Amino acid sequence: MSTDALPILIAGGGIGGLAAALALVRKGRRVLVLERAAALGEVGAGIQLGPNAFHAFDALGVGDTARAMAIYVDRLRLMDALSAAEICHIDLGERFRARFGNPYAVVHRGDLHGVLLKACRGSPLIELRTSAAVARYEQEGGSVAAILASGEAVRGAALIGADGLWSNVRKQLVDDGPPRVSGHTTYRSVIPTERMPEQLRWNAATLWAGPKCHIVHYPLQGWKTFNLVVTCHNDAPEPVAGKPVSHAEVTAGFQHLHPTARSIIDHGRDWKLWVLCDRDPVENWVEGRVALLGDAAHPMLQYMAQGACMAMEDAVCLAQMISAHPGAIEAALAAYNARRMLRTARVQLQSRAMGEHVYHPAGAHAALRNAIMAAKTQEEWYDTVAWIYGGGAVQEEA
Ligand SMILES: Cc1cc2nc3c(=O)[nH]c(=O)nc-3n(C[C@H](O)[C@H](O)[C@H](O)COP(=O)(O)OP(=O)(O)OC[C@H]3O[C@@H](n4cnc5c(N)ncnc54)[C@H](O)[C@@H]3O)c2cc1C
């Protein structure tokens, strides 16, 4: 059998892995997704999607279903969490959509993952295997074997490591140690809309920026719920993901904020805690027939709300390159790496910088932020975000 007839293996059935599966089958490839968990799914919370995510949905063939599940917020709003005054906003209305060719939206993660999963399940070219943790890989001749934790070897034409922040595929391929612990602790809660203070039920993705902390909220699920994401730069030393935490522990880091900002947190419940991690960008995510994608390749802080958007762009680009290099998987993966590296590195580093200069400054630093950001016109904002939301990243190329 020619190795091109073997399936392309994808380690990880998160947003990036499923998007890659869909993108590849649209280019006529067979795909086997190997997911470590016993069931495919996403823990519930919200996610913001820039227009570039919708460019990717269209390329993945799920544009209409993705649009149907989204809430279209009409502004990105930046509030000063000490004074409760608006610093600035970006208008996401008609002019924004016309400029970037798609809307800005917020969705429930489970709904987003569900759209991708349904499309994968509908494709005869995609096999989804759960309880299949990829431990490492071996390359020989014209194929690659994913070695599962059980010891089983699964052969494929290529292996895409979409296995997230703690990727085993990355560990072998890049070998750059554990992710960097940012010291930022994020607490997440999804609350029924009626618990959200009425005067704050804005149709906006809102960020309240305060000294060493911030609050984000937006409506979800047809306005039935509000997503609360509150973050404190408390120098937490260890990575943590999804640990339940008491309400008292959450509120402790926000006592210095304006009462209006604090009142948002008061209404949260069933909080879960993450200590955020990222990595420095690296130039190479490819070794022969193995490549990384999404958080496995370029984990980032969430301050540009772009991690999932980048994973979906990666998926589209990967499939384009595989299609553009028939019979030459290694060249295709190298071309994919080359096309995605600078853009994703820029988002990784800019996300960190936004944490420092937009989300968490104090005193004169915060006053400078307010002055610079308040002075921009809407057109200047659109120019500022054009590199990220514009269509170039997923356009078909020869
Ligand atoms: C607080 C917070 C807010 C965020 N907000 C946004 C936002 O608004 N917009 C945005 O675009 N992004 C956002 N992100 C980022 C986004 O969630 C991630 O970038 C995105 O989910 C990455 O997808 P992924 O598929 O690459 O990785 P993951 O979602 O981590 O998926 C990896 C998958 O691989 C599986 N797996 C792991 N190890 C193995 C293995 N060895 N073998 C097989 N399978 C394995 C896992 O079980 C999982 O299913 C946010 C992140 C955080 C933490």
Side-chain angles (χ1 to χ4, degrees), residues 25 30-31 119-127:
V25 296
R30 272 198 314 129
V31 174
C120 285
R121 288 195 167 131
S123 168
L125 291 177
I126 300 177
E127 185 186 343

Side-chain angles (χ1 to χ4, degrees), residues 7 11 40 61 68 105 139 145 193 196 217 265 299 306 312 314 334 361 370 383:
L40 287 153
Q139 306 203 58
T193 294
M196 185 71 179
H217 57 81
I265 304 175
Q306 278 291 324
M312 291 189 291
D314 285 351
N370 292 3
D383 291 344

Side-chain angles (χ1 to χ4, degrees), residues 161-175:
D163 46 348
L165 178 67
W166 297 93
S167 165
N168 277 346
V169 180
R170 181 187 182 108
K171 197 166 154 194
Q172 182 171 347
L173 198 157
V174 186
D175 191 23

Side-chain angles (χ1 to χ4, degrees), residues 12 15-16 34-36 47-48 109 134 163 295 305-309:
I15 291 167
L34 300 164
E35 164 58 47
R36 178 181 61 186
I47 197 160
Q48 302 183 46
R109 260 167 203 275
V134 175
D163 46 348
D295 276 6
Q306 278 291 324
C309 301

Side-chain angles (χ1 to χ4, degrees), residues 106-164:
V106 292
V107 299
H108 193 274
R109 260 167 203 275
D111 294 345
L112 167 58
H113 190 265
V115 164
L116 300 174
L117 186 57
K118 189 165 175 228
C120 285
R121 288 195 167 131
S123 168
L125 291 177
I126 300 177
E127 185 186 343
L128 301 165
R129 240 181 103 174
T130 50
S131 302
V134 175
R136 60 187 178 83
Y137 59 83
E138 287 171 7
Q139 306 203 58
E140 56 179 61
S143 70
V144 56
I147 313 296
L148 305 189
S150 62
E152 182 188 351
V154 182
R155 247 179 107 222
L159 169 64
I160 309 304
D163 46 348

Side-chain angles (χ1 to χ4, degrees), residues 329-345:
I329 291 250
E330 299 192 11
L333 298 185
Y336 151 74
N337 190 160
R339 273 164 207 258
R340 295 297 299 155
M341 194 279 289
L342 287 179
R343 178 168 170 82
T344 53

